[in-house]
mmCIF file of all heavy atoms in Angstrom:
data_model
loop_
_atom_site.group_PDB
_atom_site.id
_atom_site.type_symbol
_atom_site.label_atom_id
_atom_site.label_comp_id
_atom_site.label_asym_id
_atom_site.label_seq_id
_atom_site.Cartn_x
_atom_site.Cartn_y
_atom_site.Cartn_z
ATOM 1 N N VAL W 133 -9.171 -16.389 8.341
ATOM 2 C CA VAL W 133 -10.329 -16.334 7.453
ATOM 3 C C VAL W 133 -11.566 -16.931 8.121
ATOM 4 O O VAL W 133 -12.702 -16.555 7.802
ATOM 5 C CB VAL W 133 -10.022 -17.065 6.128
ATOM 6 C CG1 VAL W 133 -9.967 -18.573 6.326
ATOM 7 C CG2 VAL W 133 -11.051 -16.700 5.053
ATOM 8 N N GLN W 134 -11.342 -17.833 9.078
ATOM 9 C CA GLN W 134 -12.467 -18.443 9.785
ATOM 10 C C GLN W 134 -13.202 -17.439 10.670
ATOM 11 O O GLN W 134 -14.398 -17.584 10.941
ATOM 12 C CB GLN W 134 -11.965 -19.611 10.655
ATOM 13 C CG GLN W 134 -11.155 -20.655 9.895
ATOM 14 C CD GLN W 134 -11.956 -21.345 8.822
ATOM 15 O OE1 GLN W 134 -13.165 -21.554 8.966
ATOM 16 N NE2 GLN W 134 -11.295 -21.705 7.725
ATOM 17 N N PHE W 135 -12.478 -16.415 11.139
ATOM 18 C CA PHE W 135 -13.052 -15.452 12.081
ATOM 19 C C PHE W 135 -13.498 -14.155 11.402
ATOM 20 O O PHE W 135 -14.530 -13.587 11.759
ATOM 21 C CB PHE W 135 -12.033 -15.121 13.176
ATOM 22 C CG PHE W 135 -11.642 -16.303 14.023
ATOM 23 C CD1 PHE W 135 -10.488 -17.020 13.743
ATOM 24 C CD2 PHE W 135 -12.437 -16.710 15.087
ATOM 25 C CE1 PHE W 135 -10.125 -18.111 14.521
ATOM 26 C CE2 PHE W 135 -12.086 -17.791 15.867
ATOM 27 C CZ PHE W 135 -10.926 -18.503 15.581
ATOM 28 N N TRP W 136 -12.707 -13.672 10.438
ATOM 29 C CA TRP W 136 -12.980 -12.352 9.871
ATOM 30 C C TRP W 136 -13.150 -12.362 8.353
ATOM 31 O O TRP W 136 -13.208 -11.300 7.740
ATOM 32 C CB TRP W 136 -11.865 -11.376 10.254
ATOM 33 C CG TRP W 136 -11.727 -11.203 11.730
ATOM 34 C CD1 TRP W 136 -12.662 -10.683 12.588
ATOM 35 C CD2 TRP W 136 -10.611 -11.571 12.538
ATOM 36 N NE1 TRP W 136 -12.188 -10.695 13.874
ATOM 37 C CE2 TRP W 136 -10.924 -11.238 13.885
ATOM 38 C CE3 TRP W 136 -9.372 -12.141 12.282
ATOM 39 C CZ2 TRP W 136 -10.061 -11.463 14.930
ATOM 40 C CZ3 TRP W 136 -8.502 -12.372 13.334
ATOM 41 C CH2 TRP W 136 -8.849 -12.036 14.636
ATOM 42 N N GLY W 137 -13.202 -13.526 7.728
ATOM 43 C CA GLY W 137 -13.424 -13.594 6.296
ATOM 44 C C GLY W 137 -12.324 -12.917 5.507
ATOM 45 O O GLY W 137 -11.136 -13.052 5.810
ATOM 46 N N ILE W 138 -12.706 -12.140 4.485
ATOM 47 C CA ILE W 138 -11.723 -11.496 3.623
ATOM 48 C C ILE W 138 -10.853 -10.504 4.384
ATOM 49 O O ILE W 138 -9.673 -10.317 4.072
ATOM 50 C CB ILE W 138 -12.416 -10.794 2.431
ATOM 51 C CG1 ILE W 138 -11.370 -10.242 1.454
ATOM 52 C CG2 ILE W 138 -13.343 -9.684 2.914
ATOM 53 C CD1 ILE W 138 -11.972 -9.649 0.209
ATOM 54 N N TYR W 139 -11.424 -9.879 5.431
ATOM 55 C CA TYR W 139 -10.624 -8.941 6.225
ATOM 56 C C TYR W 139 -9.482 -9.669 6.928
ATOM 57 O O TYR W 139 -8.378 -9.142 7.064
ATOM 58 C CB TYR W 139 -11.512 -8.232 7.243
ATOM 59 C CG TYR W 139 -12.645 -7.460 6.617
ATOM 60 C CD1 TYR W 139 -13.943 -7.960 6.618
ATOM 61 C CD2 TYR W 139 -12.422 -6.234 6.002
ATOM 62 C CE1 TYR W 139 -14.993 -7.258 6.030
ATOM 63 C CE2 TYR W 139 -13.452 -5.526 5.407
ATOM 64 C CZ TYR W 139 -14.730 -6.046 5.428
ATOM 65 O OH TYR W 139 -15.760 -5.364 4.840
ATOM 66 N N GLY W 140 -9.741 -10.892 7.384
ATOM 67 C CA GLY W 140 -8.697 -11.690 8.011
ATOM 68 C C GLY W 140 -7.611 -12.075 7.030
ATOM 69 O O GLY W 140 -6.421 -12.110 7.383
ATOM 70 N N VAL W 141 -7.996 -12.361 5.777
ATOM 71 C CA VAL W 141 -7.024 -12.717 4.750
ATOM 72 C C VAL W 141 -6.092 -11.539 4.468
ATOM 73 O O VAL W 141 -4.867 -11.694 4.402
ATOM 74 C CB VAL W 141 -7.751 -13.153 3.458
ATOM 75 C CG1 VAL W 141 -6.744 -13.359 2.330
ATOM 76 C CG2 VAL W 141 -8.535 -14.428 3.696
ATOM 77 N N ILE W 142 -6.676 -10.360 4.313
ATOM 78 C CA ILE W 142 -5.869 -9.165 4.032
ATOM 79 C C ILE W 142 -4.980 -8.824 5.232
ATOM 80 O O ILE W 142 -3.800 -8.492 5.073
ATOM 81 C CB ILE W 142 -6.781 -7.991 3.666
ATOM 82 C CG1 ILE W 142 -7.507 -8.286 2.354
ATOM 83 C CG2 ILE W 142 -5.979 -6.693 3.544
ATOM 84 C CD1 ILE W 142 -8.556 -7.269 1.975
ATOM 85 N N LEU W 143 -5.532 -8.934 6.442
ATOM 86 C CA LEU W 143 -4.748 -8.625 7.636
ATOM 87 C C LEU W 143 -3.578 -9.590 7.793
ATOM 88 O O LEU W 143 -2.467 -9.173 8.143
ATOM 89 C CB LEU W 143 -5.650 -8.690 8.876
ATOM 90 C CG LEU W 143 -4.966 -8.389 10.220
ATOM 91 C CD1 LEU W 143 -4.378 -6.982 10.225
ATOM 92 C CD2 LEU W 143 -5.964 -8.540 11.369
ATOM 93 N N SER W 144 -3.798 -10.867 7.510
ATOM 94 C CA SER W 144 -2.719 -11.841 7.638
ATOM 95 C C SER W 144 -1.612 -11.568 6.624
ATOM 96 O O SER W 144 -0.427 -11.761 6.919
ATOM 97 C CB SER W 144 -3.264 -13.257 7.456
ATOM 98 O OG SER W 144 -3.764 -13.442 6.147
#
Side-chain angles (χ1 to χ4, degrees):
V133 72
Q134 306 297 327
F135 297 97
W136 300 297
I138 186 175
Y139 301 102
V141 173
I142 295 173
L143 180 60
S144 64

